[in-house]
């Protein structure tokens, strides 16, 4: 499937942004630089997400300039027969206006010369503050010639502001084109997880040695087979105890029958990420303790899913997860009632933290940890203070974001059991996470990633096939 997002979508986004720049505002949005991995070898090029959101253009070396009257100018690499032999096709400024629907296009090499004039007499310069190292200094460099002309009557923009503040809010609520791409990315990733699970069981049944990289290979195959450009983040394929290392990467550890495998992997498709975690028994059959812990994580995820709907706060799914996990940790004897007291005590003292040390979700979009404030913008002034029961630190809380239709977030509870005094041995070294990608709707949410099952019986069934 190729999804062609029409130029009008990007033009409409630019118009909406232009309307927020204020009278005399101007925005500068560069794409990402190319980066060298090691001598003469670059990392796979990935455009900047803000730039792509406003242009749909994936070539390196480009920069968008947008003014508050809605005029858009794209600076991009010029046609160059020799460079195109080495690096590939370039659209070039001559074709860019028609191909992308911008108002003007100029060679990227003219940026330094043109920008001072474009900045002259503007009220405010908007650019992303945190995403491009050195951009502030470049802006300053473009403003210097303007300052030099002040005595001839030019006005130097008195204000600079962070463009991310505006575009983050736009990106947080996904439109129909974005959701279509995200559903597609999610479907590919779901199939990739099934493929990895099935290969794992098949190889073990055949008496073959399985390594984490064998399963990583299946993920990559399925991603690329269906047109995904790359994994959206470094795939985690963690066998056995490696699952308790939260940022583990697919490596070479053996995958043993009787152990669990945790895979956290998702593809990027046309600039949009998916993010799925499944935990499954390597040989296709959960043991009793594995199943008990898995059922608990799944129940906590179900509670979080039920709490994910328009009007709820971003923190509600997390709180729902923690309530279920806290009760389950007491029930399974991972936390001792005599020592830790009631569920309420476990929650208030954060006694679950050694087993569950991350949040239940994050925004998802072009970036896997997508942009967007987690605080409700209209309530930022409502600060309350509390003492963290574990660190003793004073923490300032602000009201959490209210979920709206079209927001996309992950729901990813987990439990990670390292050996410790009082922790039943049967659970040692088990690491379980279940992660799905949810679109917020009125009254509920849509899980885009359920093409790969989460029910333990269904996982066992597909691994038997
Ligand atoms: N894969 C990154 C995350 O789950 O947040
Ligand atoms: Mn995630
Ligand atoms: Mn993940």
């Amino acid at each position: 499937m190729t999804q062609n997002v029409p130029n009008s979508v990007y033009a409409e986004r630019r118009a909406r942004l232009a309307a927020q720049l204020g009278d005399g505002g101007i925005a500068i949005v560069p794409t990402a630089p190319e980066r060298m991995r090691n001598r003469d070898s670059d990392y796979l090029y990935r455009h900047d997400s803000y730039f792509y959101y406003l242009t749909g253009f994936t070539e390196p070396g480009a920069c968008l300039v947008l003014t508050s009257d809605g005029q858009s100018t794209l600076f991009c690499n010029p046609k160059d027969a020799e460079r195109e032999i080495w690096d590939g096709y370039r659209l070039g400024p001559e074709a860019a206006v028609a191909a992308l629907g911008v108002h003007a296009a100029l060679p990227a090499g003219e940026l330094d010369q043109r920008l001072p004039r474009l900045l002259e007499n503007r009220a405010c310069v908007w650019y992303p503050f945190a995403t491009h190292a050195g951009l502030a200094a470049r802006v300053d460099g473009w403003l210097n010639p303007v300052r030099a002309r002040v005595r001839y009557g030019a006005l130097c923009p008195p204000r600079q502001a962070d463009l991310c503040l505006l575009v983050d809010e736009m990106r947080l609520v996904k439109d129909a084109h974005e959701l279509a791409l995200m559903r597609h990315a999610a479907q590919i990733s779901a199939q990739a997880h099934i493929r990895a699970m099935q290969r794992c069981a098949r190889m073990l049944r055949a008496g073959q040695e399985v390594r984490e990289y064998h399963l990583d290979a299946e993920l990559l195959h399925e991603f690329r087979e269906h047109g995904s450009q790359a994994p959206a983040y470094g795939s985690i394929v963690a066998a056995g105890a490696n699952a308790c290392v939260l940022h583990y990467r697919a490596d070479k550890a053996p995958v043993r029958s009787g152990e669990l495998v945790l895979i956290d992997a998702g593809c990027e498709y046309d600039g949009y990420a998916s993010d799925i975690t499944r935990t499954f028994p390597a040989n296709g059959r959960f043991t009793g303790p594995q199943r008990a812990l898995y059922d608990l994580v799944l129940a906590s995820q179900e509670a979080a899913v039920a709490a994910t709907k328009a009007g709820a706060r971003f923190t509600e799914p997390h709180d729902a997860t923690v309530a279920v996990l806290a009760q389950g940790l007491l029930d399974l004897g991972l936390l001792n009632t005599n020592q830790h007291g009631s569920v309420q005590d476990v929650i208030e003292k954060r006694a679950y933290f050694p087993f569950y040390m991350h949040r239940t979700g994050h925004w998802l979009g072009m970036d896997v940890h997508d942009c967007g404030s987690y605080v409700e913008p209209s309530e930022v002034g409502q600060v309350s203070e509390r003492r963290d029961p574990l660190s003793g630190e004073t923490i300032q809380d602000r009201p959490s974001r209210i979920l709206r239709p079209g927001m996309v977030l992950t729901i990813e509870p987990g439990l990670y059991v390292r050996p410790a005094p009082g922790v039943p041995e049967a659970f040692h070294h088990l690491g379980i996470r279940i992660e799905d990608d949810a679109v917020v709707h009125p009254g509920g949410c849509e899980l885009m990633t359920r093409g790969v099952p989460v029910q333990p019986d269904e996982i066992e069934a597909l691994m038997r096939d």
Side-chain angles (χ1 to χ4, degrees):
M1 174 180 97
T2 353
Q3 308 234 2
N4 283 322
V5 177
N7 280 343
S8 58
V9 170
Y10 300 104
E12 189 268 337
R13 289 176 191 162
R14 289 194 295 272
R16 265 202 296 149
L17 176 60
Q20 298 174 70
L21 297 178
D23 269 355
I26 184 168
I28 302 169
V29 196
T31 194
E34 295 172 278
R35 292 181 205 276
M36 191 173 288
R37 181 173 184 271
N38 55 342
R39 188 195 300 251
D40 284 348
S41 278
D42 283 347
Y43 281 105
L44 180 68
Y45 182 69
R46 166 57 157 78
H47 52 261
D48 174 80
S49 297
Y50 292 106
F51 174 84
Y52 182 72
Y53 181 74
L54 297 166
T55 61
F57 190 50
T58 56
E59 280 186 29
C63 183
L64 173 72
V65 177
L66 182 70
T67 49
S68 53
D69 58 3
Q71 288 295 305
S72 53
T73 306
L74 181 79
F75 290 85
C76 64
N77 280 333
K79 297 297 285 179
D80 180 328
E82 160 126 22
R83 281 318 323 158
E84 289 184 53
I85 289 171
W86 289 87
D87 301 331
Y89 173 79
R90 291 176 172 188
L91 179 62
E94 292 77 12
V97 171
L100 301 173
V102 290
H103 294 105
L106 293 165
E110 293 185 16
L111 193 65
D112 287 340
Q113 171 208 333
R114 299 265 185 174
L115 261 177
R117 272 301 164 116
L118 287 167
L119 291 173
E120 200 170 292
N121 301 325
R122 297 281 166 189
C124 182
V125 191
W126 295 84
Y127 59 92
F129 278 8
T131 51
H132 291 73
L135 182 57
R138 285 194 80 193
V139 171
D140 207 43
W142 293 322
L143 288 175
N144 274 335
V146 185
R147 292 185 186 112
R149 288 170 46 77
V150 163
R151 73 194 114 115
Y152 303 106
L155 294 178
C156 183
R159 288 192 298 121
Q160 298 183 15
D162 188 0
L163 185 82
C164 300
L165 292 176
L166 305 179
V167 187
D168 285 357
E169 283 301 303
M170 295 171 67
R171 283 175 52 185
L172 185 52
V173 178
K174 276 70 181 172
D175 63 29
H177 298 280
E178 298 184 285
L179 290 177
L181 289 169
M182 293 191 76
R183 288 189 187 104
H184 191 61
Q187 277 165 14
I188 296 171
S189 300
Q191 284 306 313
H193 277 257
I194 289 177
R195 188 176 168 122
M197 286 177 190
Q198 291 185 325
R199 167 126 195 242
C200 187
R202 200 166 54 238
M203 285 180 74
L204 286 177
R205 271 199 302 272
Q208 294 165 344
E209 183 188 63
V210 184
R211 300 269 178 170
E212 290 165 342
Y213 54 70
H214 288 124
L215 309 185
D216 193 27
E218 297 301 317
L219 299 167
L220 270 173
H221 182 106
E222 195 72 11
F223 292 172
R224 294 293 285 144
E225 176 79 22
H226 292 95
S228 149
Q229 291 78 12
Y233 52 92
S235 301
I236 297 172
V237 179
N242 292 336
C244 294
V245 180
L246 294 180
H247 289 164
Y248 189 80
R249 295 285 287 269
D251 200 358
K252 59 175 188 279
V255 177
R256 297 191 179 89
S257 183
E259 289 185 340
L260 292 178
V261 183
L262 181 154
I263 295 185
D264 181 346
C267 73
E268 180 174 300
Y269 185 85
D270 281 2
Y272 284 83
S274 53
D275 184 6
I276 304 181
T277 307
R278 291 292 182 265
T279 311
F280 58 92
N283 63 12
R285 294 279 302 172
F286 284 95
T287 66
Q290 289 169 354
R291 173 79 188 239
L293 216 59
Y294 187 94
D295 284 342
L296 174 54
V297 176
L298 184 55
S300 79
Q301 200 209 28
E302 281 163 4
V305 170
T308 303
K309 51 180 174 244
R313 300 266 176 188
F314 174 80
T315 42
E316 286 180 45
H318 180 71
D319 294 343
T321 290
V322 164
V324 173
L325 291 180
Q327 182 65 59
L329 289 169
L330 291 169
D331 294 345
L332 293 175
L334 283 127
L335 290 174
N336 185 314
T337 317
N338 294 331
Q339 190 188 343
H340 294 287
S342 68
V343 173
Q344 215 43 48
D345 296 328
V346 169
I347 295 170
E348 273 166 25
K349 295 195 197 119
R350 288 216 289 141
Y352 58 85
F353 190 74
F355 307 106
Y356 185 47
M357 60 298 278
H358 59 78
R359 303 286 296 179
T360 304
H362 52 80
W363 306 132
L364 182 74
M366 286 186 277
D367 299 323
V368 67
H369 291 178
D370 208 32
C371 60
S373 172
Y374 288 90
V375 171
E376 181 57 27
S378 61
E379 298 173 340
V380 277
Q382 296 177 31
V383 183
S384 57
E385 288 199 342
R386 66 182 168 87
R387 245 172 97 80
D388 182 73
L390 295 180
S391 67
E393 269 179 279
T394 302
I395 294 180
Q396 293 205 330
D397 271 335
R398 293 180 169 77
S400 164
R401 189 92 201 204
I402 297 171
L403 300 179
R404 286 170 48 198
M407 289 180 174
V408 179
L409 65 159
T410 64
I411 305 177
E412 51 177 307
L415 284 174
Y416 313 90
V417 186
R418 289 168 182 274
V423 174
E425 217 178 309
F427 299 117
H428 285 185
H429 301 301
L430 297 185
I432 295 171
R433 179 164 65 254
I434 306 171
E435 175 173 29
D436 284 287
D437 303 345
V439 187
V440 177
H441 290 302
C445 69
E446 163 198 348
L447 299 178
M448 296 183 283
T449 38
R450 283 295 171 86
V452 50
V454 287
Q455 294 299 332
D457 293 340
E458 291 177 34
I459 289 176
E460 290 186 345
L462 80 85
M463 292 183 73
R464 271 195 299 273
D465 291 339

